[in-house]
């Protein structure tokens, strides 16, 4: 079975604009989730892949913040 998830268009009608930082985070989350989902070969739903990607991004961000605080 071939999984070819492609994130949707960036139609945000009726939603507030995102900052460049928020858009970059959204793009990275989407990219990671699509990659995880494709590599899972049917073992993850797209929702699970998004949740896992968000967890990974959060862990990476938390670790980076923690490291920079400990260096101060």
């Amino acid at each position: 079975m071939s999984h070819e998830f492609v994130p949707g268009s960036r139609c945000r009608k009726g939603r507030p604009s995102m900052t460049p930082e928020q858009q970059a985070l959204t793009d990275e989350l989407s990219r990671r989730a699509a990659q995880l989902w494709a590599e899972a070969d049917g073992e993850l739903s797209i929702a699970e892949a998004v949740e896992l990607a968000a967890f990974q991004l959060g862990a990476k961000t938390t670790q980076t913040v923690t490291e920079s605080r400990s260096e101060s």
Side-chain angles (χ1 to χ4, degrees), residues 54-67:
F55 176 80
Q56 289 175 344
L57 281 172
K60 180 180 175 184
T61 302
T62 301
Q63 183 178 14
T64 302
V65 171
T66 303
E67 287 173 358

Side-chain angles (χ1 to χ4, degrees), residues 29-60:
L29 177 62
S30 177
R31 185 193 65 75
R32 285 182 184 221
Q35 182 180 4
L36 287 167
W37 184 70
E39 291 173 357
D41 197 31
E43 296 294 318
L44 290 176
S45 69
I46 190 62
E48 291 167 327
V50 170
E51 186 175 351
L52 180 56
F55 176 80
Q56 289 175 344
L57 281 172
K60 180 180 175 184

Side-chain angles (χ1 to χ4, degrees), residues 3-45:
H3 297 287
E4 296 181 25
F5 173 76
V6 178
S9 65
R10 293 187 178 187
C11 179
R12 293 188 171 80
K13 185 177 180 179
R15 297 181 186 174
S17 296
M18 286 193 242
T19 65
E21 293 82 11
Q22 290 170 323
Q23 186 60 58
L25 184 59
T26 300
D27 291 344
E28 179 65 10
L29 177 62
S30 177
R31 185 193 65 75
R32 285 182 184 221
Q35 182 180 4
L36 287 167
W37 184 70
E39 291 173 357
D41 197 31
E43 296 294 318
L44 290 176
S45 69

